Amino acid sequence: MSATQYDVIAIGNAIVDVMAPCDDALIERLGMTRGGMTLIDTARAHELYDAMGPAREISGGSAANTLAGLAALGARCAFIGQVADDQLGEVFAHDIRAGGIAFDTPARAGDPPTARCLIFVTPDGQRTMNTFLGASQFLPPAVLDEAAIAAAKILYLEGYLWDPEEPRAAMRRAIAAAKGAGRKVAFTLSDAFVIERHGADFRAMIETGDVDILFANHVELAALTGHDDFEAGLAELAPKVPVLVVTRGEHGAVAIQEGNRAEVAAEPIARVVDTTGAGDLFAAGFLHGHVSGRSLADCLTMGAIAAAEVISHYGARPEADLKELVLSRLG
């Protein structure tokens, strides 16, 4: 196998998060699904933005957040995602490159504008996300750097981006490029609504061996397998993927690799400020452990450390020194 240029290359939504605190009454008044992620159109985006209090703009997107965590841990990373040639597109590109992540996808001219996610955070730290996908839905297969994909240890794919047709075709081509080069493919299911729409695709990819590392939370596990019982869901899915990682919020996480099982508790934290990006950063810690040859238990612990850091503050990108946090726990 040829030498690798990257530890992880990811394809995902290129989104700028617009975040603001709110009370539960506002969530109800605006008819939002508390704690969920809803896709919205331009009109709804304007309505919700007008109802927001003072907000912060922070580059986001699930896979991009994972790469930010990986890069902070010292991994070599690259991102493929579509922005528009506009102000938020420039913000996204600046932020991801400033994090040491290669990003060379050309900006798209004209409408629609760069994607944004309007995030309402209630006092308990729960986030309610409303996503306008904008330009990110129009990532064409032609812009893929297949040589870079073939030169990465892991191709990481974001389930959220499976919904629109062009990016779905791009990700299928990327999987073929990675597999053709003998590389691993990691996939995150992202949300139960994605599974409702594309579960048949995901199950087929798993059955044909296109997924080497699968990330899910307990809700997504139930949606994919049809088992409300957690252990029953694990028992059905684990034999079908080389590495299965399932998070359970405050109840920790489980990973099963070729029959070997490891579990960790959630990391203790003084106060949950904002759960945005918890799953993304868990994946970052786990993947960094994986590409570094760590044990399954260590990979889970690294994921838990990264997730705990990101929920201790606003925003889905790490602020503390993740390397130091991991070093102080695992050496």
Side-chain angles (χ1 to χ4, degrees), residues 146-219:
E146 294 190 27
I149 292 167
K153 291 179 183 177
I154 294 175
L155 168 67
Y156 181 71
L157 302 174
E158 174 187 327
Y160 282 132
L161 199 56
W162 201 261
D163 210 46
E165 183 178 349
E166 275 191 281
R168 184 164 65 247
M171 287 194 281
R172 288 195 185 278
R173 182 184 289 189
I175 290 169
K179 288 294 185 179
R183 307 301 187 188
K184 292 181 179 179
V185 175
F187 194 91
T188 177
L189 291 170
S190 294
D191 197 287
F193 94 86
V194 182
I195 299 166
E196 289 171 12
R197 294 169 65 95
H198 302 288
D201 275 357
F202 299 160
R203 293 180 196 102
M205 290 161 58
I206 289 166
E207 293 287 351
T208 56
D210 283 340
V211 178
D212 299 288
I213 305 170
L214 182 66
F215 290 95
N217 63 30
H218 64 287
V219 176

Side-chain angles (χ1 to χ4, degrees), residues 82-327:
Q82 189 67 65
V83 298
D85 185 11
D86 58 17
Q87 184 179 3
L88 285 185
E90 291 176 7
V91 168
F92 181 90
H94 170 269
D95 287 353
I96 200 161
R97 290 170 182 151
I101 299 160
F103 176 54
D104 300 315
T105 310
R108 187 177 187 273
D111 286 331
T114 295
R116 70 282 316 267
C117 184
L118 306 177
I119 304 175
F120 293 76
V121 186
T122 44
D124 62 353
Q126 185 65 262
R127 82 280 187 274
T128 299
M129 300 187 294
N130 304 270
T131 304
F132 172 66
L133 289 172
S136 68
Q137 300 175 89
F138 299 96
L139 175 75
V143 303
L144 292 181
D145 186 343
E146 294 190 27
I149 292 167
K153 291 179 183 177
I154 294 175
L155 168 67
Y156 181 71
L157 302 174
E158 174 187 327
Y160 282 132
L161 199 56
W162 201 261
D163 210 46
E165 183 178 349
E166 275 191 281
R168 184 164 65 247
M171 287 194 281
R172 288 195 185 278
R173 182 184 289 189
I175 290 169
K179 288 294 185 179
R183 307 301 187 188
K184 292 181 179 179
V185 175
F187 194 91
T188 177
L189 291 170
S190 294
D191 197 287
F193 94 86
V194 182
I195 299 166
E196 289 171 12
R197 294 169 65 95
H198 302 288
D201 275 357
F202 299 160
R203 293 180 196 102
M205 290 161 58
I206 289 166
E207 293 287 351
T208 56
D210 283 340
V211 178
D212 299 288
I213 305 170
L214 182 66
F215 290 95
N217 63 30
H218 64 287
V219 176
E220 294 152 9
L221 177 71
L224 189 68
T225 63
H227 294 296
D228 288 333
D229 181 77
F230 182 72
E231 291 298 331
L234 288 179
E236 176 168 321
L237 197 52
K240 299 177 181 178
V241 287
V243 182
L244 173 64
V245 184
V246 185
T247 58
R248 306 178 75 183
E250 69 271 21
H251 300 297
V254 177
I256 301 174
Q257 181 173 17
E258 297 172 351
N260 297 314
R261 176 170 174 155
E263 297 187 42
V264 296
E267 288 288 300
I269 179 172
R271 187 169 77 94
V272 175
V273 174
D274 169 26
T275 57
T276 310
D280 303 335
L281 268 293
F282 192 98
F286 187 94
L287 287 172
H288 191 264
H290 187 81
V291 298
S292 304
R294 294 264 195 172
S295 69
L296 198 60
D298 277 1
C299 292
L300 284 173
T301 299
M302 292 173 71
I305 291 168
E309 190 283 331
V310 84
I311 66 175
S312 70
H313 57 76
Y314 276 113
R317 304 267 171 103
E319 293 181 356
D321 187 335
L322 291 185
K323 275 187 186 178
E324 181 57 38
L325 291 175
V326 168
L327 188 64

